[in-house]
Amino acid sequence: MIEKETIKITGMTCAACAARIEKRLNKLEGIQKAVVNLTTEKASVEYDSAKVQVSDMIKAIEALGYKAEKFEEAGFDREKEQREKEIKRLRTEFVVSAILSFPLVMAMILHLLNINLAFLHNEYLQLIIATPVQFIIGFRFYKNAFHALKAKSPNMDVLIAMGTSAAYFFSIYNAFFVPAEPGMMKELYFEAAAVIITLILLGKYLEAVAKGKTSEAIKKLMGLQPKTARVIRNGREEDIPVNEVEVGDVIVVRPGEKVPVDGKIIEGSSSIDESMLTGESLPVEKKVGDIVIGATINKYGTFKFEATKVGKDTVLSQIIKMVEEAQGSKAPIQKVADKVSGVFVPVVLGIAVITFLIWYLAAGDFTHAIVSAVSVLVIACPCALGLATPTAIMVGTGKGAENGILIKGGEYLEMAYKLNAVVLDKTGTITKGQPEVTDILSLGQIQSNELLRLAAIAEKNSEHPLGTAFYERGKREFGSIPDPEGFEAIPGMGVVAVVNRKEIYIGTRKLMAERNIDTKSSETLITQLEDEGKTAMLIAVDKKIEGIIAVADTLKESSKQAIEELKEMGVEVYMITGDNKRTAAAIARQVGISNVLAEVLPEKKADEVEKLKKQGKVVAMVGDGINDAPALATADIGMAIGTGTDVAIEASDITLMRGDLNAIPAAIRLSRRTMRKIKQNLFWAFIYNIIGIPFAAMGLLNPIIAGGAMAFSSVSVVTNSLSLKGFNPYKK
């Protein structure tokens, strides 16, 4: 059985660490897929529970020198506590290291200014000051380097340990074994080793603080959860913890209170603010029978509702889970960085050795050879490379969740950036999906009232929006509607029912043609209705056409604007529907769509999407119904309207919680802005190393400057990703 598990990992320092753990996990028998995220410090694993256990994964990770535990066991609060503890420890280590390094730096500065304070330049004093920085504060680098070398996978810590050790021990050699030239001070580099460690700790501290901010979206979502619920038990109201609410409980919600869990209103009505989940600012009117979502805010009325989803099954819990999984995923563009990181450190070690040999053998300058090799080792850390993509994805997906755009993974965020074609389902997507009867036309002996009654009975068991419109209109006109004696739904065509022992056919021309029913007498009227943008359904009794019932669906207010925005963004827009060509064309004209795919049966929607893909288009399918699920799964990106069915949402890659089409251009804008940040980050990370390493090898870069630049490169990448937090995807 294939299962999913999240493992919390501590001790990773760079992209090479993440790559090493990922490689080790994927080698385990039974592991289907393992993805390690440096930013979240988590491994997302898909595995066969019959072949491998989570304990085996934890052992494999710990064998590489890292700590690991099941994420559920760690818990969110514990994770927060651990992160704050690590930030505090880094801050303390940095402060102590900075205090100890200060005299060494002062000695170097004064030397450059030709100011001689003998006690500061004393080799014994410098050794005493530098040693605790090197081996006590810097112990973490030696420990991690040891584990990395043991695992035959050198990482950033190896570079730091080797670089600072070279500077430290070279200084000892010069201090005690090489006599100073007359009138000259001994060449000591204790300050280089100490300052490099100090600056790297500062970088790690700032990076840890910044990384904590990238997960603020999750914190916000979790903060939405109410703590208590007012439940009616044994005939009286009582407040209980929300985690004790059970399915079927009746809950009372008063004005200004949060809805504790998901459910259905059974008494009362109100306006509910759903903005924290959908991004939609206007309150939504709710009445008996309507669904309410946990964590939304009741504005005015008091109502009672029956709990239908609690705990992990609530919409909010599912959203939190989806965002967490998305933030732990990888975008395809990250594969480039991962491949580079995997070979980067060994290559840098080689460059450092070559640099030393060239300077020593060719120039005969041992001191310069050591300093240049140290600079190469220090400047070349691949941290920024490893943080470039995941930090941007974390902030981007979190920003999406805040605005009602739920993106299931980094690959979908990247794919949305490439979209050049969007296919829109008509009913419930472009339109409100609540058609109403507009015309009842008799063509035979049966009067219009009787036609409506027969249609309402025949469609009573139908789940199609058109059938529902017939039934609801009949219920308003006649009150109670009896059940049909027989019922058969024919997808994409209509229904066949038995009412009072008569066969009732309601549907399209296709249905009538298939059942050999003559429709010539109705053609003119049908054409007229379709040209008006109405959907005309034929009614036949015992295989004779008796009338036409026309329905019209109202356009969503946002549809036309959203379609215009998509066109401006260079995206082709298609409308797909089972409606006939005339009706479809009339609706398309109203919203400005020129590409219309009409008379498409539900099972054929996926085929139409596939055709567009074969034309070289990167296609998004947008739908809301069960019949859209295959097309959503076939498209490069499936977008489900959040107000639609659970099946459609499950089959989609991006869920638009608002229920309006403005979220589509917003999702594309968010994707484009996030990808821009990723490319900026990768460019900076690559360029930084491409420029920095040659400068260091040529002896043009001081080890201290190299250490500072390396430390702050990671911070700059994370900071650039965090700038996404101010982005509003709904603004052009």
Side-chain angles (χ1 to χ4, degrees):
M1 183 181 172
I2 303 301
E3 295 184 22
K4 286 186 177 180
E5 189 62 73
T6 301
I7 299 172
K8 178 68 180 171
I9 304 169
T10 52
M12 291 190 293
T13 56
C14 69
C17 296
R20 181 165 69 254
I21 296 170
E22 193 171 288
K23 187 177 178 182
R24 179 72 185 91
L25 286 174
N26 281 310
K27 280 185 177 179
L28 290 175
E29 187 184 357
I31 299 287
Q32 301 289 314
K33 183 184 178 184
V35 176
V36 178
N37 190 308
L38 175 64
T39 308
T40 60
E41 296 182 322
K42 293 177 192 152
S44 301
V45 189
E46 292 178 20
Y47 66 102
D48 186 344
S49 56
K51 295 180 179 178
V52 65
Q53 300 299 314
V54 177
S55 57
D56 299 324
M57 304 173 207
I58 291 172
K59 283 178 185 175
I61 295 169
E62 290 179 343
L64 296 174
Y66 306 95
K67 291 181 181 177
E69 61 183 329
K70 284 177 69 174
F71 179 57
E72 286 82 5
E73 292 173 2
F76 190 83
D77 291 336
R78 172 110 176 265
E79 186 187 14
K80 183 183 176 184
E81 186 185 321
Q82 287 174 341
R83 185 167 58 248
E84 289 175 351
K85 192 175 176 182
E86 175 64 9
I87 289 172
K88 187 178 178 181
R89 187 158 72 93
L90 283 167
R91 184 170 60 240
T92 303
E93 287 181 0
F94 163 69
V95 170
V96 173
S97 187
I99 292 169
L100 290 171
S101 300
F102 181 73
L104 300 174
V105 175
M106 284 301 299
M108 180 190 69
I109 294 171
L110 292 172
H111 176 63
L112 293 172
L113 297 173
N114 289 320
I115 300 172
N116 186 17
L117 291 178
F119 77 96
L120 283 178
H121 296 98
N122 182 276
E123 56 264 38
Y124 292 99
L125 176 67
Q126 292 205 7
L127 176 63
I128 290 168
I129 293 172
T131 299
V133 176
Q134 186 71 37
F135 297 110
I136 298 176
I137 296 170
F139 176 73
R140 62 163 63 214
F141 302 115
Y142 284 101
K143 181 185 172 184
N144 294 337
F146 171 76
H147 288 297
L149 291 172
K150 188 180 175 184
K152 298 177 182 177
S153 184
N155 63 357
M156 149 192 166
D157 294 303
V158 173
L159 300 181
I160 295 167
M162 287 184 67
T164 57
S165 294
Y168 177 84
F169 288 109
F170 180 57
S171 299
I172 289 177
Y173 174 76
N174 280 348
F176 302 107
F177 300 100
V178 179
E181 294 182 20
M184 300 290 290
M185 294 176 59
K186 291 184 177 181
E187 291 189 32
L188 304 179
Y189 295 94
F190 288 118
E191 81 284 342
V195 172
I196 287 168
I197 289 171
T198 303
L199 289 172
I200 289 167
L201 286 172
L202 175 61
K204 281 188 170 293
Y205 166 69
L206 295 174
E207 184 187 306
V209 172
K211 277 164 66 176
K213 291 180 181 178
T214 60
S215 60
E216 279 183 2
I218 293 287
K219 293 179 203 171
K220 281 184 182 177
L221 288 170
M222 291 188 133
L224 295 176
Q225 293 175 316
K227 304 297 184 208
T228 61
R230 187 175 294 108
V231 179
I232 298 177
R233 288 182 177 173
N234 301 319
R236 61 187 182 87
E237 296 180 9
E238 58 178 288
D239 290 340
I240 63 170
V242 74
N243 58 4
E244 293 180 11
V245 176
E246 298 175 359
V247 173
D249 278 340
V250 175
I251 300 166
V252 180
V253 184
R254 295 194 174 94
E257 295 178 345
K258 282 186 177 181
V259 178
V261 295
D262 300 359
K264 184 182 285 186
I265 294 179
I266 57 174
E267 186 182 311
S269 62
S270 186
S271 294
I272 295 185
D273 180 0
E274 297 181 342
S275 60
M276 64 287 295
L277 296 181
T278 66
E280 181 58 64
S281 58
L282 294 174
V284 182
E285 298 297 321
K286 299 284 184 178
K287 59 185 185 303
V288 173
D290 287 344
I291 301 296
V292 290
I293 303 169
T296 55
I297 300 172
N298 182 28
K299 300 293 284 185
Y300 307 116
T302 297
F303 64 89
K304 294 178 183 177
F305 75 96
E306 182 184 341
T308 56
K309 292 180 179 178
V310 300
K312 292 182 178 180
D313 297 326
T314 64
V315 169
L316 180 62
S317 294
Q318 291 299 312
I319 290 171
I320 291 170
K321 185 183 176 185
M322 192 183 291
V323 174
E324 281 182 335
E325 287 178 353
Q327 292 187 339
S329 66
K330 287 187 180 182
I333 196 170
Q334 194 175 338
K335 290 177 183 176
V336 178
D338 288 346
K339 284 180 181 177
V340 171
S341 298
V343 298
F344 196 78
V345 175
V347 168
V348 169
L349 289 171
I351 294 171
V353 171
I354 293 167
T355 299
F356 174 81
L357 291 173
I358 289 174
W359 278 105
Y360 181 59
L361 298 176
D365 192 337
F366 184 80
T367 300
H368 208 78
I370 284 285
V371 172
S372 299
V374 169
S375 296
V376 168
L377 290 171
V378 173
I379 193 78
C381 170
C383 276
L385 205 57
L387 294 167
T389 302
T391 53
I393 286 173
M394 282 189 73
V395 180
T397 51
K399 195 69 189 174
E402 288 175 21
N403 287 275
I405 303 165
L406 302 183
I407 302 165
K408 285 187 177 178
E411 62 268 38
Y412 309 118
L413 189 65
E414 182 175 338
M415 185 60 73
Y417 158 80
K418 301 174 183 176
L419 287 176
N420 54 26
V422 171
V423 180
L424 302 173
D425 174 54
K426 180 180 79 72
T427 306
T429 302
I430 295 175
T431 65
K432 291 181 179 178
Q434 298 169 343
E436 293 186 354
V437 175
T438 57
D439 304 84
I440 306 170
L441 306 173
S442 175
L443 301 175
Q445 301 300 313
I446 302 175
Q447 297 298 309
S448 58
N449 269 2
E450 180 62 12
L451 283 175
L452 176 62
R453 193 183 73 83
L454 290 172
I457 296 170
E459 296 278 10
K460 185 176 181 179
N461 297 323
S462 173
E463 294 181 355
H464 195 281
L466 298 182
T468 304
F470 294 168
Y471 173 70
E472 291 296 333
R473 175 69 179 269
K475 206 164 63 166
R476 285 201 302 272
E477 296 281 340
F478 308 110
S480 176
I481 301 293
D483 292 325
E485 294 151 34
F487 175 81
E488 181 191 2
I490 302 165
M493 295 190 202
V495 302
V496 179
V498 178
V499 180
N500 299 332
R501 297 183 181 180
K502 295 178 179 177
E503 278 194 320
I504 310 297
Y505 301 84
I506 305 175
T508 63
R509 294 182 188 86
K510 278 186 180 179
L511 176 65
M512 302 304 164
E514 198 174 87
R515 300 303 168 102
N516 297 314
I517 300 170
D518 185 16
T519 61
K520 286 179 184 176
S521 62
S522 61
E523 286 298 332
T524 303
L525 283 170
I526 289 174
T527 302
Q528 185 182 325
L529 291 165
E530 288 172 351
D531 286 340
E532 293 171 10
K534 298 173 182 176
T535 300
M537 290 285 111
L538 291 157
I539 300 181
V541 179
D542 291 334
K543 296 202 171 184
K544 183 188 174 189
I545 293 292
E546 291 289 348
I548 302 169
I549 297 183
V551 298
D553 196 359
T554 312
L555 290 172
K556 289 181 179 177
E557 292 80 2
S558 61
S559 294
K560 190 174 181 180
Q561 180 191 346
I563 288 160
E564 284 175 1
E565 284 186 29
L566 286 168
K567 287 179 176 178
E568 289 171 8
M569 297 167 82
V571 179
E572 288 184 69
V573 184
Y574 295 78
M575 185 179 83
I576 192 165
T577 178
D579 278 350
N580 64 80
K581 291 179 180 178
R582 281 196 182 88
T583 304
I587 297 292
R589 278 195 301 274
Q590 292 178 49
V591 292
I593 295 176
S594 54
N595 304 306
V596 182
L597 305 170
E599 298 179 10
V600 181
L601 294 174
E603 65 269 21
K604 297 294 182 183
K605 287 184 179 180
D607 295 342
E608 293 296 333
V609 171
E610 190 62 45
K611 284 178 188 175
L612 292 173
K613 286 172 68 176
K614 284 179 179 177
Q615 294 172 23
K617 301 183 191 298
V618 182
V619 184
M621 171 70 197
V622 186
D624 72 323
I626 293 172
N627 61 3
D628 297 321
L632 290 167
T634 302
D636 295 298
I637 290 285
M639 294 187 183
I641 300 294
T643 50
T645 65
D646 290 343
V647 175
I649 293 169
E650 188 63 32
S652 69
D653 308 308
I654 297 175
T655 301
L656 311 174
M657 296 296 291
R658 276 193 178 186
D660 69 51
L661 296 193
N662 280 327
I664 302 171
I668 295 173
R669 278 194 211 97
L670 178 63
S671 169
R672 290 179 178 180
R673 181 61 67 91
T674 305
M675 288 303 298
R676 192 187 307 167
K677 292 294 179 185
I678 289 173
K679 288 179 177 180
Q680 289 171 355
N681 289 347
L682 288 172
F683 174 81
W684 167 244
F686 277 119
I687 289 298
Y688 162 81
N689 284 303
I690 289 168
I691 294 174
I693 291 172
F695 268 82
M698 289 186 289
L700 301 174
L701 206 61
N702 184 285
I704 293 175
I705 296 171
M710 186 276 283
F712 285 102
S713 67
S714 300
V715 179
S716 65
V717 164
V718 178
T719 304
N720 189 44
S721 295
L722 284 171
S723 66
L724 269 171
K725 290 171 76 71
F727 175 65
N728 184 351
Y730 287 95
K731 284 187 179 179
K732 290 186 184 179

